[in-house]
Amino acid sequence: MIRQLHRMGVRSSMMYTAGIASIGLTAASWFLSKNYESAGMDRADRWGLFVGEWAPTFFAMGVALRMEEMHAEKGRVTEEWEDPNMERGIRMPSRAGV
């Protein structure tokens, strides 16, 4: 799905912008519902939570698209993935967290 979105022209910056905009929209929808609807605070809270759940999704899609962009820039193979010892069946210890 992410690769298809990337091919369609959707970029990570668009998703990050949508995430930030949804945070603002969350505050605006809560404020407007609280002040201009007679349904009370519960309904305003529901509107705020409903819209507020979009932001993490947009940010996660932005990260996934950024990874896809990086793979596309490097030709889908990076130096860290090319380990000459793997051809001989030798695995080197990971340096993760170093």
Side-chain angles (χ1 to χ4, degrees):
M1 178 179 102
I2 296 298
R3 189 171 295 149
Q4 185 62 33
L5 286 172
H6 185 258
R7 287 184 193 143
M8 292 170 48
V10 178
R11 297 294 177 248
S12 61
S13 60
M14 295 175 185
M15 287 294 143
Y16 295 142
T17 302
I20 291 170
S22 70
I23 292 170
L25 186 59
T26 297
S29 66
W30 178 83
F31 180 78
L32 291 173
S33 180
K34 178 179 164 249
N35 291 329
Y36 295 107
E37 285 186 332
S38 61
M41 184 68 89
D42 290 340
R43 183 166 175 140
D45 288 344
R46 279 188 224 113
W47 269 112
L49 289 172
F50 173 70
V51 178
E53 291 175 355
W54 300 349
T57 304
F58 287 134
F59 287 128
M61 289 178 68
V63 170
L65 281 166
R66 181 63 188 136
M67 291 171 63
E68 185 67 28
E69 292 164 4
M70 288 172 39
H71 287 280
E73 289 170 4
K74 294 185 179 186
R76 299 212 109 6
V77 176
T78 62
E79 291 178 17
E80 63 223 19
W81 292 350
E82 295 176 358
D83 186 1
N85 293 321
M86 288 303 290
E87 293 174 5
R88 295 181 288 169
I90 302 171
R91 288 191 67 175
M92 299 299 290
S94 172
R95 295 188 308 175
V98 174

Coordinates of all heavy atoms in Angstrom, one line a residue:
M1 N 0.8 -1.2 0.0 CA 0.0 0.0 0.0 C 0.9 1.3 0.0 O 0.6 2.2 -0.7 CB -0.9 0.0 1.2 CG -1.8 1.2 1.3 SD -2.9 1.2 2.7 CE -2.0 2.3 3.8
I2 N 1.9 1.3 0.8 CA 2.8 2.4 0.9 C 3.5 2.7 -0.4 O 3.6 3.8 -0.9 CB 3.8 2.3 2.1 CG1 3.0 2.2 3.4 CG2 4.8 3.4 2.1 CD1 2.2 3.5 3.7
R3 N 4.0 1.6 -1.0 CA 4.7 1.7 -2.3 C 3.7 2.3 -3.4 O 4.1 3.2 -4.2 CB 5.2 0.4 -2.8 CG 6.1 0.5 -4.0 CD 6.8 -0.8 -4.3 NE 7.7 -1.1 -3.2 CZ 8.0 -2.3 -2.8 NH1 7.5 -3.4 -3.4 NH2 8.9 -2.5 -1.8
Q4 N 2.5 1.9 -3.3 CA 1.5 2.4 -4.3 C 1.2 3.9 -4.0 O 1.1 4.6 -5.0 CB 0.2 1.6 -4.2 CG -0.8 2.0 -5.3 CD -0.3 1.7 -6.7 OE1 0.4 0.8 -7.0 NE2 -0.7 2.6 -7.6
L5 N 1.1 4.3 -2.8 CA 0.9 5.7 -2.5 C 2.1 6.5 -3.0 O 1.9 7.6 -3.5 CB 0.7 5.9 -1.0 CG -0.6 5.5 -0.4 CD1 -0.6 5.5 1.1 CD2 -1.7 6.3 -0.9
H6 N 3.3 6.0 -2.8 CA 4.5 6.7 -3.3 C 4.5 6.8 -4.8 O 4.8 7.9 -5.3 CB 5.7 5.9 -2.8 CG 7.0 6.6 -3.1 ND1 7.8 6.2 -4.2 CD2 7.6 7.6 -2.5 CE1 8.8 7.0 -4.2 NE2 8.8 7.9 -3.2
R7 N 4.1 5.7 -5.5 CA 4.0 5.8 -6.9 C 2.9 6.8 -7.4 O 3.1 7.4 -8.4 CB 3.6 4.5 -7.5 CG 4.8 3.5 -7.5 CD 4.4 2.2 -8.1 NE 5.4 1.2 -7.8 CZ 5.1 -0.1 -7.6 NH1 3.8 -0.5 -7.7 NH2 6.0 -1.0 -7.3
M8 N 1.9 7.0 -6.6 CA 0.8 7.9 -6.9 C 1.2 9.4 -6.7 O 0.5 10.3 -7.0 CB -0.4 7.6 -6.1 CG -1.1 6.3 -6.6 SD -2.4 5.7 -5.5 CE -3.4 7.1 -5.2
G9 N 2.4 9.6 -6.0 CA 2.9 10.9 -5.8 C 2.6 11.5 -4.4 O 2.9 12.6 -4.1
V10 N 2.1 10.6 -3.5 CA 2.0 11.0 -2.1 C 3.3 11.0 -1.4 O 4.0 10.0 -1.5 CB 1.0 10.1 -1.4 CG1 0.8 10.5 0.1 CG2 -0.4 10.1 -2.1
R11 N 3.7 12.1 -0.8 CA 5.0 12.1 -0.1 C 4.9 12.2 1.4 O 3.8 12.6 1.9 CB 5.8 13.4 -0.7 CG 6.1 13.3 -2.1 CD 7.1 12.1 -2.4 NE 7.3 11.9 -3.8 CZ 6.9 10.9 -4.5 NH1 6.2 9.9 -4.0 NH2 7.2 10.8 -5.8
S12 N 6.0 11.9 2.1 CA 6.0 11.9 3.5 C 5.6 13.3 4.1 O 4.9 13.4 5.1 CB 7.3 11.5 4.1 OG 8.4 12.3 3.7
S13 N 6.1 14.4 3.4 CA 5.8 15.7 3.9 C 4.3 16.0 3.9 O 3.8 16.7 4.8 CB 6.6 16.7 3.1 OG 6.2 16.7 1.7
M14 N 3.6 15.4 2.9 CA 2.2 15.6 2.9 C 1.5 15.0 4.1 O 0.6 15.5 4.7 CB 1.6 15.0 1.6 CG 2.0 15.7 0.3 SD 1.4 14.7 -1.0 CE 2.2 15.6 -2.4
M15 N 2.0 13.8 4.5 CA 1.4 13.1 5.6 C 1.7 13.8 6.9 O 0.9 13.9 7.8 CB 1.9 11.6 5.7 CG 1.3 10.8 4.6 SD -0.5 10.6 4.9 CE -1.1 10.6 3.2
Y16 N 3.0 14.3 7.0 CA 3.3 15.0 8.2 C 2.5 16.3 8.4 O 2.0 16.7 9.5 CB 4.8 15.4 8.2 CG 5.7 14.3 8.3 CD1 6.9 14.3 7.6 CD2 5.5 13.1 9.1 CE1 7.8 13.2 7.6 CE2 6.4 12.1 9.1 CZ 7.5 12.1 8.4 OH 8.4 11.1 8.4
T17 N 2.2 17.0 7.3 CA 1.4 18.2 7.3 C 0.0 17.8 7.7 O -0.7 18.5 8.4 CB 1.4 18.9 5.9 OG1 2.8 19.2 5.6 CG2 0.6 20.1 5.9
A18 N -0.5 16.7 7.1 CA -1.9 16.3 7.5 C -2.0 15.9 9.0 O -3.0 16.2 9.6 CB -2.3 15.1 6.6
G19 N -0.9 15.4 9.5 CA -0.9 15.0 11.0 C -1.0 16.3 11.8 O -1.7 16.4 12.8
I20 N -0.2 17.3 11.5 CA -0.2 18.5 12.2 C -1.5 19.3 12.0 O -2.0 19.8 13.0 CB 1.0 19.4 11.8 CG1 2.3 18.8 12.2 CG2 0.9 20.8 12.3 CD1 3.6 19.4 11.7
A21 N -2.0 19.2 10.8 CA -3.3 19.9 10.6 C -4.4 19.2 11.4 O -5.3 19.9 11.9 CB -3.7 19.9 9.1
S22 N -4.4 17.9 11.5 CA -5.4 17.2 12.3 C -5.3 17.5 13.8 O -6.4 17.5 14.4 CB -5.3 15.7 12.0 OG -4.2 15.1 12.6
I23 N -4.2 17.8 14.3 CA -4.0 18.2 15.7 C -4.8 19.5 15.9 O -5.5 19.7 16.8 CB -2.6 18.3 16.1 CG1 -2.0 16.9 16.1 CG2 -2.5 19.0 17.5 CD1 -0.5 16.9 16.3
G24 N -4.6 20.5 14.9 CA -5.3 21.8 15.0 C -6.8 21.6 14.8 O -7.6 22.2 15.5
L25 N -7.2 20.7 13.9 CA -8.6 20.4 13.7 C -9.2 19.8 14.9 O -10.4 20.0 15.2 CB -8.7 19.5 12.5 CG -10.1 19.2 12.0 CD1 -10.9 20.6 11.6 CD2 -10.1 18.3 10.8
T26 N -8.4 19.0 15.6 CA -9.0 18.4 16.9 C -9.4 19.5 17.9 O -10.5 19.4 18.4 CB -7.9 17.5 17.5 OG1 -7.6 16.4 16.6 CG2 -8.3 16.9 18.8
A27 N -8.5 20.4 18.1 CA -8.7 21.5 19.0 C -9.9 22.4 18.5 O -10.8 22.7 19.3 CB -7.5 22.4 19.2
A28 N -9.9 22.6 17.2 CA -11.0 23.5 16.7 C -12.4 22.8 16.8 O -13.4 23.4 17.2 CB -10.7 23.8 15.2
S29 N -12.4 21.5 16.5 CA -13.7 20.7 16.5 C -14.2 20.6 17.9 O -15.4 20.7 18.2 CB -13.6 19.4 15.9 OG -12.7 18.5 16.6
W30 N -13.3 20.4 18.9 CA -13.7 20.3 20.3 C -14.3 21.7 20.7 O -15.3 21.8 21.3 CB -12.5 19.9 21.2 CG -12.9 19.9 22.6 CD1 -13.5 18.9 23.3 CD2 -12.7 21.0 23.6 NE1 -13.7 19.2 24.6 CE2 -13.2 20.5 24.8 CE3 -12.1 22.2 23.5 CZ2 -13.1 21.3 26.0 CZ3 -12.1 23.0 24.6 CH2 -12.6 22.5 25.9
F31 N -13.5 22.8 20.4 CA -13.9 24.1 20.8 C -15.3 24.5 20.2 O -16.2 25.0 20.9 CB -12.9 25.1 20.5 CG -13.2 26.5 20.9 CD1 -13.1 27.0 22.2 CD2 -13.7 27.4 19.9 CE1 -13.4 28.2 22.5 CE2 -14.0 28.7 20.3 CZ -13.9 29.1 21.6
L32 N -15.4 24.3 18.9 CA -16.7 24.6 18.2 C -17.9 23.8 18.7 O -19.0 24.3 18.9 CB -16.5 24.5 16.7 CG -15.6 25.5 16.1 CD1 -15.3 25.1 14.6 CD2 -16.1 26.9 16.2
S33 N -17.6 22.5 18.9 CA -18.7 21.6 19.4 C -19.1 22.0 20.8 O -20.3 22.0 21.2 CB -18.3 20.2 19.4 OG -19.3 19.3 19.9
K34 N -18.1 22.4 21.7 CA -18.4 22.8 23.0 C -19.2 24.1 23.1 O -20.1 24.2 23.9 CB -17.1 22.9 23.8 CG -17.2 23.3 25.2 CD -15.9 23.4 25.9 CE -15.9 24.2 27.1 NZ -15.3 25.5 27.1
N35 N -18.8 25.0 22.3 CA -19.4 26.3 22.4 C -20.7 26.6 21.5 O -21.5 27.4 21.8 CB -18.4 27.4 22.0 CG -17.3 27.5 23.1 OD1 -17.6 27.2 24.3 ND2 -16.1 27.8 22.7
Y36 N -20.8 25.8 20.4 CA -21.9 26.1 19.5 C -23.0 25.0 19.4 O -23.9 25.1 18.7 CB -21.4 26.4 18.1 CG -20.6 27.7 18.1 CD1 -19.2 27.7 18.0 CD2 -21.2 28.9 18.3 CE1 -18.4 28.8 18.1 CE2 -20.4 30.1 18.4 CZ -19.1 30.1 18.2 OH -18.3 31.2 18.3
E37 N -22.8 23.9 20.1 CA -23.8 22.8 20.1 C -24.4 22.7 21.5 O -23.7 23.0 22.5 CB -23.2 21.5 19.7 CG -22.9 21.3 18.2 CD -22.5 19.9 17.9 OE1 -21.9 19.2 18.7 OE2 -22.7 19.5 16.7
S38 N -25.6 22.4 21.5 CA -26.3 22.3 22.8 C -26.2 20.9 23.4 O -26.7 20.6 24.4 CB -27.8 22.7 22.7 OG -28.4 21.8 21.8
A39 N -25.4 20.0 22.8 CA -25.2 18.6 23.2 C -24.4 18.5 24.4 O -24.4 17.4 25.1 CB -24.7 17.7 22.1
G40 N -23.6 19.5 24.8 CA -22.8 19.4 26.0 C -21.4 19.0 25.8 O -20.9 18.8 24.7
M41 N -20.7 18.9 26.9 CA -19.3 18.6 26.9 C -18.9 17.2 26.4 O -17.9 16.9 25.8 CB -18.7 18.7 28.3 CG -17.2 18.5 28.4 SD -16.3 19.8 27.6 CE -16.1 21.0 29.0
D42 N -19.8 16.2 26.7 CA -19.6 14.8 26.2 C -19.4 14.7 24.7 O -18.6 14.1 24.2 CB -20.7 13.9 26.7 CG -20.7 13.6 28.2 OD1 -19.6 13.9 28.8 OD2 -21.7 13.2 28.7
R43 N -20.3 15.4 24.0 CA -20.3 15.4 22.5 C -19.0 16.1 22.0 O -18.4 15.7 21.1 CB -21.5 16.0 21.9 CG -21.5 16.0 20.4 CD -22.9 16.2 19.9 NE -22.8 16.3 18.5 CZ -23.7 15.8 17.7 NH1 -24.8 15.2 18.2 NH2 -23.7 15.9 16.4
A44 N -18.6 17.2 22.7 CA -17.4 17.9 22.3 C -16.2 17.0 22.5 O -15.3 17.0 21.6 CB -17.3 19.2 23.1
D45 N -16.2 16.3 23.6 CA -15.1 15.4 23.8 C -15.0 14.3 22.8 O -13.9 13.9 22.3 CB -15.2 14.7 25.2 CG -14.9 15.7 26.3 OD1 -14.3 16.8 26.0 OD2 -15.2 15.4 27.5
R46 N -16.2 13.8 22.4 CA -16.2 12.7 21.3 C -15.7 13.2 20.0 O -15.0 12.5 19.3 CB -17.6 12.2 21.2 CG -17.9 11.1 22.2 CD -19.3 10.5 22.0 NE -20.0 10.4 23.2 CZ -21.1 11.0 23.5 NH1 -21.7 11.8 22.7 NH2 -21.6 10.9 24.7
W47 N -16.1 14.5 19.6 CA -15.6 15.0 18.4 C -14.1 15.2 18.4 O -13.4 14.9 17.5 CB -16.2 16.4 18.1 CG -17.5 16.3 17.3 CD1 -18.7 16.6 17.7 CD2 -17.6 15.9 15.9 NE1 -19.6 16.4 16.7 CE2 -18.9 16.0 15.6 CE3 -16.7 15.5 15.0 CZ2 -19.4 15.7 14.3 CZ3 -17.1 15.2 13.7 CH2 -18.5 15.3 13.4
G48 N -13.6 15.7 19.6 CA -12.1 15.9 19.7 C -11.4 14.6 19.6 O -10.3 14.5 19.0
L49 N -11.9 13.6 20.3 CA -11.2 12.3 20.2 C -11.3 11.6 18.9 O -10.3 11.0 18.4 CB -11.8 11.3 21.3 CG -11.5 11.6 22.7 CD1 -12.4 10.8 23.7 CD2 -10.1 11.5 23.0
F50 N -12.4 11.8 18.2 CA -12.6 11.2 16.9 C -11.6 11.8 15.9 O -10.8 11.1 15.2 CB -14.0 11.5 16.3 CG -14.2 11.1 14.9 CD1 -14.2 9.7 14.5 CD2 -14.4 12.0 13.9 CE1 -14.4 9.4 13.2 CE2 -14.5 11.7 12.6 CZ -14.6 10.4 12.2
V51 N -11.4 13.1 15.9 CA -10.5 13.7 14.9 C -9.1 13.6 15.4 O -8.1 13.4 14.7 CB -10.8 15.2 14.8 CG1 -9.8 15.9 13.9 CG2 -12.3 15.4 14.2
G52 N -8.9 13.5 16.8 CA -7.6 13.4 17.3 C -6.9 12.0 17.0 O -5.7 11.9 17.0
E53 N -7.7 11.0 16.7 CA -7.1 9.7 16.3 C -6.5 9.7 15.0 O -5.8 8.7 14.6 CB -8.2 8.6 16.5 CG -8.6 8.4 17.9 CD -9.7 7.4 18.1 OE1 -10.3 7.0 17.1 OE2 -10.1 7.1 19.2
W54 N -6.8 10.7 14.2 CA -6.2 10.7 12.8 C -4.7 11.0 12.8 O -4.0 10.5 12.0 CB -6.9 11.8 12.0 CG -8.4 11.6 11.8 CD1 -9.1 10.5 12.1 CD2 -9.3 12.5 11.2 NE1 -10.4 10.7 11.8 CE2 -10.5 12.0 11.2 CE3 -9.1 13.8 10.7 CZ2 -11.7 12.6 10.8 CZ3 -10.2 14.5 10.2 CH2 -11.5 13.9 10.2
A55 N -4.3 11.9 13.7 CA -2.9 12.3 13.7 C -1.9 11.2 13.8 O -0.9 11.2 13.0 CB -2.7 13.3 14.9
P56 N -2.0 10.2 14.7 CA -1.0 9.2 14.7 C -0.9 8.4 13.4 O 0.1 7.9 13.0 CB -1.4 8.3 15.9 CG -2.3 9.1 16.7 CD -2.9 10.1 15.8
T57 N -2.1 8.2 12.8 CA -2.1 7.5 11.6 C -1.4 8.2 10.5 O -0.6 7.6 9.7 CB -3.6 7.2 11.1 OG1 -4.3 6.5 12.2 CG2 -3.7 6.4 9.8
F58 N -1.6 9.5 10.4 CA -0.9 10.3 9.4 C 0.6 10.3 9.6 O 1.4 10.2 8.7 CB -1.4 11.8 9.4 CG -2.8 11.9 8.8 CD1 -3.8 12.7 9.4 CD2 -3.1 11.3 7.6 CE1 -5.0 12.9 8.8 CE2 -4.3 11.5 7.0 CZ -5.3 12.3 7.6
F59 N 1.0 10.4 10.9 CA 2.4 10.4 11.2 C 3.1 9.1 10.9 O 4.2 9.0 10.4 CB 2.7 10.8 12.7 CG 2.5 12.3 12.9 CD1 1.6 12.7 14.0 CD2 3.1 13.3 12.2 CE1 1.4 14.0 14.2 CE2 2.9 14.6 12.4 CZ 2.0 15.0 13.4
A60 N 2.4 8.0 11.2 CA 2.9 6.7 10.9 C 3.0 6.5 9.4 O 4.0 5.9 8.9 CB 2.0 5.6 11.5
M61 N 2.0 6.9 8.6 CA 2.1 6.8 7.2 C 3.3 7.7 6.6 O 3.9 7.3 5.7 CB 0.8 7.2 6.6 CG -0.3 6.1 6.8 SD -1.9 6.5 6.1 CE -1.5 6.5 4.4
G62 N 3.5 8.9 7.3 CA 4.6 9.7 6.9 C 5.9 9.0 7.1 O 6.8 9.1 6.2
V63 N 6.1 8.3 8.2 CA 7.3 7.6 8.4 C 7.5 6.5 7.4 O 8.6 6.3 6.9 CB 7.4 7.0 9.9 CG1 8.5 6.1 10.1 CG2 7.4 8.2 10.9
A64 N 6.5 5.7 7.1 CA 6.5 4.7 6.2 C 6.9 5.2 4.8 O 7.7 4.6 4.0 CB 5.2 3.9 6.1
L65 N 6.2 6.3 4.4 CA 6.5 6.9 3.1 C 8.0 7.5 3.0 O 8.6 7.4 2.0 CB 5.5 8.0 2.8 CG 4.2 7.6 2.3 CD1 3.2 8.7 2.4 CD2 4.3 7.0 0.9
R66 N 8.5 8.0 4.2 CA 9.8 8.5 4.2 C 10.8 7.3 4.0 O 11.8 7.5 3.3 CB 10.1 9.2 5.5 CG 11.5 9.8 5.6 CD 11.8 10.8 4.5 NE 13.1 11.2 4.5 CZ 13.9 11.3 3.4 NH1 13.3 11.2 2.2 NH2 15.1 11.7 3.4
M67 N 10.5 6.2 4.6 CA 11.4 5.0 4.4 C 11.3 4.6 2.9 O 12.3 4.2 2.3 CB 10.9 3.9 5.3 CG 11.2 4.2 6.8 SD 10.5 3.0 7.9 CE 11.3 1.5 7.4
E68 N 10.1 4.6 2.3 CA 10.0 4.3 0.9 C 10.8 5.3 0.0 O 11.4 4.9 -0.9 CB 8.5 4.3 0.5 CG 8.3 3.8 -0.9 CD 8.6 2.4 -1.1 OE1 8.5 1.5 -0.2 OE2 8.9 2.0 -2.3
E69 N 10.7 6.5 0.4 CA 11.5 7.5 -0.4 C 13.0 7.3 -0.3 O 13.7 7.4 -1.3 CB 11.2 8.9 0.1 CG 9.8 9.4 -0.1 CD 9.3 10.6 0.7 OE1 10.2 11.1 1.4 OE2 8.1 11.0 0.6
M70 N 13.5 6.9 0.9 CA 14.9 6.6 1.1 C 15.3 5.4 0.3 O 16.4 5.4 -0.3 CB 15.2 6.5 2.6 CG 15.1 7.8 3.4 SD 15.3 7.7 5.1 CE 16.5 6.4 5.4
H71 N 14.5 4.4 0.3 CA 14.8 3.2 -0.5 C 14.8 3.5 -2.0 O 15.7 3.0 -2.7 CB 13.8 2.1 -0.2 CG 13.9 1.5 1.1 ND1 14.8 0.5 1.4 CD2 13.2 1.6 2.2 CE1 14.7 0.1 2.6 NE2 13.7 0.8 3.2
A72 N 13.9 4.3 -2.4 CA 13.9 4.7 -3.8 C 15.1 5.5 -4.2 O 15.7 5.4 -5.3 CB 12.6 5.5 -4.2
E73 N 15.5 6.4 -3.3 CA 16.7 7.2 -3.6 C 18.0 6.4 -3.7 O 18.9 6.7 -4.4 CB 16.9 8.3 -2.5 CG 15.9 9.4 -2.5 CD 15.9 10.2 -1.2 OE1 16.9 10.0 -0.4 OE2 15.1 11.1 -1.1
K74 N 18.1 5.4 -2.9 CA 19.3 4.5 -2.9 C 19.2 3.3 -3.8 O 20.0 2.4 -3.6 CB 19.6 4.1 -1.4 CG 20.0 5.3 -0.6 CD 20.4 4.8 0.8 CE 20.8 6.1 1.6 NZ 21.3 5.7 2.9
G75 N 18.2 3.2 -4.6 CA 18.1 2.1 -5.5 C 17.7 0.8 -4.8 O 18.0 -0.3 -5.2
R76 N 17.0 0.9 -3.7 CA 16.5 -0.2 -2.9 C 17.5 -1.1 -2.3 O 17.3 -2.1 -1.7 CB 15.5 -1.0 -3.7 CG 14.4 -0.2 -4.2 CD 13.2 -1.0 -4.3 NE 12.0 -1.1 -3.6 CZ 11.5 -0.4 -2.7 NH1 12.1 0.5 -2.1 NH2 10.3 -0.6 -2.2
V77 N 18.8 -0.7 -2.4 CA 19.9 -1.5 -1.7 C 20.8 -0.4 -1.0 O 21.2 0.5 -1.7 CB 20.7 -2.3 -2.7 CG1 21.9 -3.0 -2.0 CG2 19.8 -3.3 -3.4
T78 N 21.0 -0.7 0.2 CA 21.9 0.3 0.9 C 23.2 -0.5 1.4 O 23.2 -1.7 1.4 CB 21.2 0.8 2.2 OG1 20.9 -0.3 3.1 CG2 20.0 1.6 1.9
E79 N 24.2 0.3 1.6 CA 25.5 -0.3 2.0 C 25.4 -1.2 3.3 O 26.0 -2.2 3.4 CB 26.5 0.8 2.2 CG 26.9 1.5 1.0 CD 27.9 2.6 1.2 OE1 28.5 2.6 2.3 OE2 28.1 3.5 0.4
E80 N 24.6 -0.7 4.2 CA 24.5 -1.5 5.4 C 23.8 -2.9 5.2 O 24.0 -3.8 6.0 CB 23.8 -0.7 6.5 CG 22.3 -0.4 6.1 CD 21.9 1.0 6.5 OE1 22.8 1.8 6.6 OE2 20.7 1.2 6.5
W81 N 23.1 -3.0 4.1 CA 22.5 -4.3 3.9 C 23.4 -5.2 3.1 O 23.3 -6.4 3.1 CB 21.2 -4.1 3.0 CG 20.1 -3.5 3.8 CD1 20.0 -3.2 5.1 CD2 18.9 -3.0 3.2 NE1 18.9 -2.6 5.4 CE2 18.1 -2.4 4.3 CE3 18.4 -3.0 1.9 CZ2 16.9 -1.9 4.1 CZ3 17.1 -2.4 1.8 CH2 16.4 -1.9 2.8
E82 N 24.4 -4.7 2.5 CA 25.4 -5.4 1.7 C 26.5 -5.8 2.7 O 27.4 -5.1 2.9 CB 25.9 -4.6 0.6 CG 24.9 -4.3 -0.5 CD 25.5 -3.4 -1.6 OE1 26.6 -3.0 -1.5 OE2 24.7 -3.1 -2.5
D83 N 26.5 -7.0 3.1 CA 27.5 -7.5 4.0 C 28.3 -8.6 3.3 O 27.8 -9.7 3.0 CB 26.9 -8.1 5.3 CG 27.9 -8.5 6.3 OD1 29.1 -8.3 6.1 OD2 27.4 -9.0 7.4
P84 N 29.6 -8.4 3.0 CA 30.4 -9.4 2.3 C 30.5 -10.7 3.0 O 30.7 -11.7 2.4 CB 31.8 -8.7 2.1 CG 31.8 -7.6 3.2 CD 30.4 -7.2 3.4
N85 N 30.4 -10.7 4.4 CA 30.5 -11.9 5.1 C 29.3 -12.8 5.0 O 29.4 -14.0 5.2 CB 30.7 -11.6 6.6 CG 32.1 -11.0 6.9 OD1 33.1 -11.4 6.2 ND2 32.1 -10.0 7.7
M86 N 28.2 -12.3 4.6 CA 27.0 -13.1 4.4 C 27.1 -14.1 3.2 O 26.5 -15.1 3.2 CB 25.7 -12.2 4.2 CG 25.3 -11.4 5.4 SD 24.9 -12.5 6.8 CE 23.4 -13.3 6.2
E87 N 27.9 -13.8 2.3 CA 28.1 -14.7 1.1 C 28.8 -16.0 1.6 O 28.6 -17.0 1.1 CB 29.0 -14.0 0.1 CG 28.3 -12.9 -0.6 CD 29.2 -12.1 -1.6 OE1 30.4 -12.6 -1.8 OE2 28.8 -11.1 -2.1
R88 N 29.7 -15.8 2.7 CA 30.4 -17.0 3.2 C 29.6 -17.6 4.4 O 30.0 -18.6 5.0 CB 31.7 -16.6 3.7 CG 32.6 -16.1 2.6 CD 34.0 -15.7 3.1 NE 33.8 -14.5 3.8 CZ 34.8 -13.9 4.5 NH1 35.9 -14.6 4.7 NH2 34.6 -12.8 5.1
G89 N 28.4 -17.1 4.7 CA 27.6 -17.7 5.7 C 28.0 -17.2 7.1 O 27.6 -17.8 8.1
I90 N 28.8 -16.1 7.2 CA 29.2 -15.6 8.5 C 28.3 -14.4 8.9 O 28.2 -13.5 8.1 CB 30.7 -15.2 8.5 CG1 31.6 -16.4 8.1 CG2 31.1 -14.6 9.8 CD1 33.0 -16.0 7.8
R91 N 27.7 -14.5 10.1 CA 26.9 -13.3 10.5 C 27.7 -12.6 11.5 O 28.3 -13.1 12.5 CB 25.6 -13.8 11.2 CG 24.7 -14.4 10.1 CD 23.3 -14.5 10.7 NE 22.8 -13.2 11.1 CZ 21.6 -13.1 11.6 NH1 20.8 -14.1 11.8 NH2 21.1 -11.9 11.9
M92 N 27.8 -11.3 11.4 CA 28.5 -10.4 12.3 C 27.5 -10.0 13.4 O 26.3 -9.9 13.1 CB 29.0 -9.2 11.6 CG 30.1 -9.5 10.6 SD 31.5 -10.4 11.2 CE 32.3 -9.1 12.1
P93 N 27.9 -9.7 14.6 CA 27.0 -9.2 15.6 C 26.4 -7.9 15.3 O 27.1 -7.1 14.6 CB 27.8 -9.2 16.9 CG 29.2 -9.2 16.4 CD 29.3 -9.9 15.1
S94 N 25.2 -7.7 15.6 CA 24.5 -6.4 15.4 C 25.1 -5.3 16.2 O 25.5 -5.5 17.4 CB 23.0 -6.5 15.7 OG 22.4 -5.3 15.6
R95 N 25.2 -4.1 15.6 CA 25.6 -2.9 16.4 C 24.4 -2.1 16.8 O 24.6 -0.9 17.1 CB 26.6 -2.1 15.6 CG 27.9 -2.9 15.3 CD 28.9 -2.0 14.7 NE 28.4 -1.3 13.5 CZ 29.0 -0.4 12.8 NH1 30.2 -0.1 13.1 NH2 28.5 0.1 11.8
A96 N 23.3 -2.6 16.9 CA 22.1 -1.9 17.2 C 22.2 -1.4 18.6 O 22.6 -2.1 19.6 CB 20.8 -2.8 17.1
G97 N 21.8 -0.2 18.8 CA 21.9 0.4 20.2 C 23.2 1.0 20.6 O 23.4 1.4 21.7
V98 N 24.2 0.9 19.6 CA 25.5 1.4 20.0 C 25.6 2.9 19.6 O 25.2 3.3 18.6 CB 26.6 0.6 19.2 CG1 28.0 1.2 19.4 CG2 26.6 -0.8 19.7

